[in-house]
Amino acid sequence: RKTFKDYIFLFILKKCDANIFYYSEPLKFWGKLLNKGNTFIANNTLPVLEVEHQKDQKKSILFIGSLIEGKGIFDLLDAFNNAYKTSSIFKLKLNIVGDGPLRNKVQHFISKNRLDKIIQLKGSIYDEQILRDYFKEAIFCVSPNQAGLSVLKSFGYGVPFVTRIDSITGGEKYNILNGVNGILYETKNELYDLISNAFSKLDGYYQMGIEAKEYYDKNLTVESMKDNFIEAIEFNFK
């Protein structure tokens, strides 16, 4: 529901010559109150490198992001640990790319449960070529409780994204079409099932990755974002 602050913001929007939103969801919130004629959508995005995926390279699950409270990293670790301990043929690895205040606790969990061989804590990585290699081998990228820029990065590299249906987002989550280019799950048990069955359902995830890349190329490229900014600017000179 709209608050008093929202109406102050709406007043500002109506005074602007043009408005640019990072995604289209706010238009539903404002409904008919916002002038659609001078409103433009420049989907938020991140640049990626070219990548070629091969199904037989897919052997891991990827988490990429800060190791902070609120992202649900221990939900992921618990689900992965349970999947590993309850299956005699579990083949997957978990690559954790990122750093933060929970790093020592994450490392302690890995060591305590003797998961050092299958869970790799990679730390912060800013080399795009190295990141691309981790995406190339990822069946899916997952962040339980927060779906931010990693959704866009994952799609750009042709990897489906998995997150809770009620995860925190700045809007990036709304690019996920459940069962098409990613998964929106509801419970911890569902996350466990997704991890347990990831390898056996590789064909399905591989196809989701193709859909994710096609969605990125159509809606989320830097070029597309730039063009919509230009369209908004040129609107004022007509």
Side-chain angles (χ1 to χ4, degrees), residues 2-224:
K2 297 173 181 64
T3 67
F4 179 69
K5 290 181 180 179
D6 291 320
Y7 284 103
I8 294 175
F9 184 54
L10 178 63
F11 175 80
I12 296 172
L13 292 177
K14 288 187 172 183
K15 289 292 184 180
C16 294
D17 296 310
N19 296 301
I20 305 173
F21 288 93
Y22 269 150
Y23 58 109
S24 60
E25 200 69 16
L27 302 187
K28 298 177 184 178
F29 176 78
W30 292 116
K32 296 180 180 179
L33 296 175
L34 189 65
N35 179 10
K36 305 299 192 299
N38 68 345
T39 298
F40 301 86
I41 307 298
N43 287 308
N44 199 10
T45 192
L46 289 171
V48 295
L49 302 177
E50 291 296 320
V51 62
E52 290 186 12
H53 287 274
Q54 296 181 10
K55 197 184 303 181
D56 58 6
Q57 292 179 327
K58 300 294 184 178
K59 57 185 178 181
S60 67
I61 292 171
L62 178 64
F63 172 93
I64 179 168
S66 302
L67 302 181
I68 58 175
E69 297 287 352
K71 289 209 170 182
I73 182 66
F74 287 101
D75 285 352
L76 173 59
L77 291 171
D78 283 334
F80 198 88
N81 182 40
N82 290 335
Y84 174 67
K85 296 294 174 60
T86 56
S87 174
S88 59
I89 57 171
F90 193 75
K91 300 179 180 180
L92 297 178
K93 291 185 177 181
L94 172 62
N95 290 318
I96 300 175
V97 175
D99 212 336
L102 294 182
R103 181 187 176 98
N104 289 339
K105 289 184 177 180
V106 171
Q107 184 60 66
H108 177 72
F109 181 97
I110 295 171
S111 301
K112 178 183 176 182
N113 291 282
R114 299 179 180 178
L115 299 170
D116 303 81
K117 291 183 179 180
I118 63 167
I119 299 182
Q120 302 292 315
L121 193 53
K122 302 295 184 178
S124 297
I125 298 175
Y126 301 103
D127 187 320
E128 199 65 33
Q129 291 185 339
I130 297 176
L131 288 174
R132 177 179 61 181
D133 290 341
Y134 285 121
F135 277 105
K136 282 178 67 174
E137 68 172 58
I139 296 176
F140 59 74
C141 185
V142 56
S143 178
N145 294 346
Q146 186 170 335
L149 293 174
S150 53
V151 176
L152 311 178
K153 178 79 76 173
S154 187
F155 277 23
Y157 280 122
V159 176
F161 198 88
V162 173
T163 188
R164 282 180 63 98
I165 195 168
D166 58 352
S167 61
I168 298 169
T169 185
E172 297 83 2
K173 182 176 66 176
Y174 297 110
N175 294 296
I176 300 174
L177 306 176
N178 192 25
V180 178
N181 56 20
I183 298 289
L184 299 171
Y185 69 91
E186 295 187 18
T187 67
K188 291 181 181 180
N189 285 338
E190 286 183 60
L191 178 58
Y192 161 78
D193 290 337
L194 290 169
I195 293 172
S196 297
N197 300 317
F199 197 79
S200 63
K201 296 184 177 181
L202 179 58
D203 287 347
Y205 285 112
Y206 189 76
Q207 182 59 42
M208 284 188 204
I210 294 173
E211 295 286 346
K213 179 59 174 172
E214 289 180 354
Y215 184 95
Y216 177 92
D217 289 342
K218 183 178 180 180
N219 303 288
L220 300 175
T221 63
V222 174
E223 193 74 13
S224 175

